[in-house]
Amino acid sequence: MLDLPYTFELNAPGFVPTRYDNHIKRTLTSMKGQYHDISAYEAMLAEGDALLYEVYELARPHESGEVLHGISIVHPGKVGDEYYMTKGHFHTVLETAEIYVCLAGQGVMVMETPEGDWAVEALTPGRVLYVPPRWAHRSVNTGAADLITFFAYPGHAGHDYGTIEQQGFRKLMVERDGLPEIVDNPRWGKGG
Ligand code: PA5
Ligand code: NI
């Protein structure tokens, strides 16, 4: 790795970084069990393995002095009445934070702690979101265009996907009468 200062550009409208190392694509199959409407999920999957979101990563060592960073793009759409979203995760090292800057689109970050707190914050262009240590986080696209965010977090944070995979987040983002609404996750607290 060329270990010198570097720059890259994030240009509208797409904001794909002019330099990146990894391009990760997440499709419907990687979200199995996460959408509450199982029959809507199965029906959609029968039509094809839709691309839900993408991440462009700048590779840095997974060490505490480093800051991992990149761009997340959640495409617009729904599975049943539930908006497209990221898998979501706790950081393996719980006491690590993350910063998001929304570049384009309309959405929310759904968050929760192991202690039972939860929060939903709007992501709109120009808005910065600080996700404190201990807060699991999931981006949800509630709009009609791509939800694009820049993220940065400590190099040693790691991703714990398993905890969320078991029962999801406490809150879901669904469309009701054409508008986004926060509802309780019926699967949460039922032991997966
Ligand atoms: O580190 C982060 O929180 C982001 O880079 C996410 O990894 C990205 O938005 C994709 O979400 P997830 O990792 O939950 O699939
Ligand atoms: Ni994270």
Side-chain angles (χ1 to χ4, degrees):
M1 184 182 300
L2 183 64
D3 216 2
L4 292 172
Y6 61 80
T7 62
F8 57 90
E9 271 78 49
L10 302 172
N11 296 316
F15 294 100
V16 172
T18 51
R19 180 210 140 126
Y20 61 87
D21 298 295
N22 303 314
H23 179 199
I24 299 151
K25 297 178 186 172
R26 297 265 194 236
T27 60
L28 211 46
T29 45
S30 64
M31 295 298 284
K32 187 172 171 52
Q34 288 304 313
Y35 286 98
H36 79 95
D37 187 339
I38 294 161
S39 47
Y41 175 89
E42 296 295 347
M44 226 180 124
L45 193 56
E47 299 294 311
D49 194 11
L51 178 63
L52 305 185
Y53 65 100
E54 305 178 60
V55 178
Y56 292 89
E57 281 182 348
L58 286 288
R60 297 298 311 167
H62 292 192
E63 295 167 3
S64 61
E66 292 281 349
V67 178
L68 302 184
H69 54 287
I71 295 294
S72 163
I73 302 176
V74 184
H75 297 302
K78 284 176 293 176
V79 175
D81 61 2
E82 196 173 359
Y83 297 101
Y84 283 5
M85 58 193 182
T86 60
K87 285 164 81 77
H89 55 266
F90 286 94
H91 289 165
T92 313
V93 179
L94 260 183
E95 304 299 335
T96 53
E98 183 152 347
I99 285 179
Y100 280 84
V101 181
C102 182
L103 301 170
Q106 300 289 327
V108 297
M109 191 71 80
V110 176
M111 294 166 281
E112 67 182 42
T113 68
E115 289 73 32
D117 304 294
W118 66 272
V120 174
E121 290 292 343
L123 294 171
T124 54
R127 178 168 277 195
V128 178
L129 168 67
Y130 182 70
V131 181
R134 306 186 75 76
W135 287 79
H137 39 286
R138 161 181 281 168
S139 324
V140 184
N141 187 344
T142 58
D146 283 346
L147 173 67
I148 308 176
T149 51
F150 172 84
F151 60 82
Y153 60 97
H156 67 303
H159 291 85
D160 163 18
Y161 290 105
T163 306
I164 296 299
E165 277 167 6
Q166 282 168 30
Q167 56 183 4
F169 280 73
R170 288 164 188 269
K171 301 291 173 183
L172 308 179
M173 291 303 302
V174 298
E175 189 177 273
R176 293 277 187 270
D177 301 323
L179 291 173
E181 200 169 295
I182 304 166
V183 298
D184 288 336
N185 173 5
R187 201 158 64 93
W188 209 95
K190 303 253 163 54

